Amino acid sequence: MGPKIKELPAQLPKNFDRPDEPWYHHLTFDLIWKVFNYTLFHPWVCWIIVLCLRAHVTPYQNIEMKIAIAWAFLMTTRAVGGIISDKIAYGNPRDVDLSEEVIVITGGVEGLGNLIAEVYGMRNANVCVLDTKKVQEDEAEEKGVLYYECDVGDAKQVETVAAKIVEDLGAPTILINNAGIAHAKSILDSTPEEVEQTFRTNTLSHFNTLRTFVPYMLRESRGTIVTVSSVLGHLGAANLSAYAASKAANLALHSSLRAELFQHPNGTAIKTILVTPGQMSTKMFAGVKTPSNFLAPVVPTVDVASQVIKLIEKGEGGEIALPLYSRYIGILGLMPAGLQQLVRRWCGIDRAIEKAGLVQKNTASEKR
């Protein structure tokens, strides 16, 4: 008899837990774009079309053959250009062996961080989570994850926990800065304590973890740093001023981090990944409706997690922006101010939190 297989608790999703949705709810622009990228936009498929035309003895002078060849060359140039661009921006990929990596995830008890931690835990990777929320020892053992109670906004706590991680697992080589909170309040209703807490958790925590863990990566001459920001860092939104501002700061911090790593002798061996998702299916913005499920769908957390894990394990740097509009949101800033305002009114970004009933009022300000 071999060793007893470890049983993991699992609960299958129930259809009646989710509202019935029509089939077209799942038809989004992102899905169509993905299909095209595997078909008409894929160089291999494009050249297959050319070969099929030749198999039917289509002369090169025919218009359909000229169009097929021109399209195949265009898609090949696009693909090669993308590869060259990534090489220039992020360098060659590094070798990643999970058995030799130590993964640190901030804010990994819930949401995106929790999903990534559980995936690596199931794969017996060396993964630890830094969070203020407590996790029972039995639950942690079942998930295969080490949990350290830590306020990542406090530099001293991060340094103390870092020493424990090095002692327990070894030098950290993968850092996922995921911790985040949001107070759905207007600027006038926000208290100084809430604004400070938001920046401590969402932004200052990045400085604390980077100052603490990057030196280990530089000594190891390998590493991956993931910065989780938000599309609101580009857009801003009413009643989410502190959250949006903190996420915008993360965008600038990530760019500065890349620049400084590039200047360090061992910095090029450390890969950086920027994550700027739109609305994800997490508790933070539950109930908020997007203006268009076709153009701006709610992103399943598992889709973002799979993209992060994919880049980490390929040893590559890059940017992850889901859904598709968040990848090109910078174009909005190039539009005339009036057109920008019309777009904001159409998409309802500044009314979304209020319509969802998530706006918190400061009772003290109401009395005034």
Side-chain angles (χ1 to χ4, degrees), residues 185-311:
K185 286 189 173 183
S186 68
I187 296 174
L188 298 182
D189 285 331
S190 298
T191 65
E193 293 78 15
E194 289 169 340
V195 174
E196 182 180 353
Q197 182 190 27
T198 301
F199 273 87
R200 278 169 54 87
T201 304
N202 296 3
T203 304
L204 296 183
S205 63
H206 290 233
F207 282 93
N208 296 335
T209 55
L210 290 174
R211 284 196 302 263
T212 303
F213 296 116
V214 170
Y216 292 106
M217 299 181 190
L218 292 174
R219 286 197 291 269
E220 294 281 329
S221 294
R222 61 191 174 99
T224 300
I225 301 171
V226 180
T227 301
V228 180
S229 183
S230 169
V231 71
L232 290 181
H234 294 286
L235 294 173
N239 300 308
L240 284 174
S241 54
Y243 177 82
S246 65
K247 291 299 183 178
N250 288 348
L251 295 176
L253 172 59
H254 184 82
S255 297
S256 299
L257 171 65
R258 288 190 59 201
E260 293 182 11
L261 289 176
F262 185 77
Q263 296 176 353
H264 196 281
N266 295 334
T268 55
I270 300 176
K271 303 303 173 183
T272 59
I273 300 173
L274 176 64
V275 186
T276 54
Q279 183 179 338
M280 290 195 296
S281 55
T282 59
K283 295 180 181 179
M284 185 175 291
F285 298 118
V288 178
K289 293 184 178 180
T290 63
S292 168
N293 185 70
F294 180 75
L295 296 175
V298 176
V299 183
T301 310
V302 66
D303 288 355
V304 180
S306 63
Q307 291 293 320
V308 172
I309 293 172
K310 180 181 178 181
L311 275 185

Side-chain angles (χ1 to χ4, degrees), residues 42-87:
H42 198 289
W44 188 85
V45 175
C46 294
W47 286 112
I48 287 295
I49 294 175
V50 174
L51 293 176
C52 289
L53 289 175
R54 283 303 299 158
H56 284 79
V57 199
T58 304
Y60 287 106
Q61 296 79 11
N62 284 22
I63 184 65
E64 60 267 30
M65 178 60 80
K66 291 181 179 179
I67 292 175
I69 293 176
W71 183 255
F73 268 114
L74 180 62
M75 292 299 101
T76 302
T77 303
R78 170 177 173 264
V80 173
I83 294 173
I84 295 174
S85 175
D86 288 343
K87 291 291 183 183

Side-chain angles (χ1 to χ4, degrees), residues 11-19:
Q11 184 177 2
L12 298 177
K14 301 176 182 178
N15 292 332
F16 56 78
D17 287 339
R18 301 187 302 270

Side-chain angles (χ1 to χ4, degrees), residues 33-50:
W33 184 261
K34 185 176 182 179
V35 171
F36 277 143
N37 277 329
Y38 280 101
T39 53
L40 293 180
F41 295 163
H42 198 289
W44 188 85
V45 175
C46 294
W47 286 112
I48 287 295
I49 294 175
V50 174

Side-chain angles (χ1 to χ4, degrees), residues 88-138:
I88 295 174
Y90 307 108
N92 295 322
R94 73 179 185 89
D95 295 329
V96 176
D97 184 352
L98 288 183
S99 63
E100 298 179 355
E101 305 285 342
V102 176
I103 307 166
V104 178
I105 305 174
T106 67
V109 172
E110 296 179 349
L112 175 63
N114 176 58
L115 185 55
I116 296 174
E118 288 187 351
V119 169
Y120 280 126
M122 288 187 293
R123 298 172 63 181
N124 294 322
N126 301 311
V127 56
C128 56
V129 167
L130 276 58
D131 205 308
T132 55
K133 301 181 181 69
K134 294 183 179 180
V135 176
Q136 298 297 326
E137 292 184 5
D138 293 342

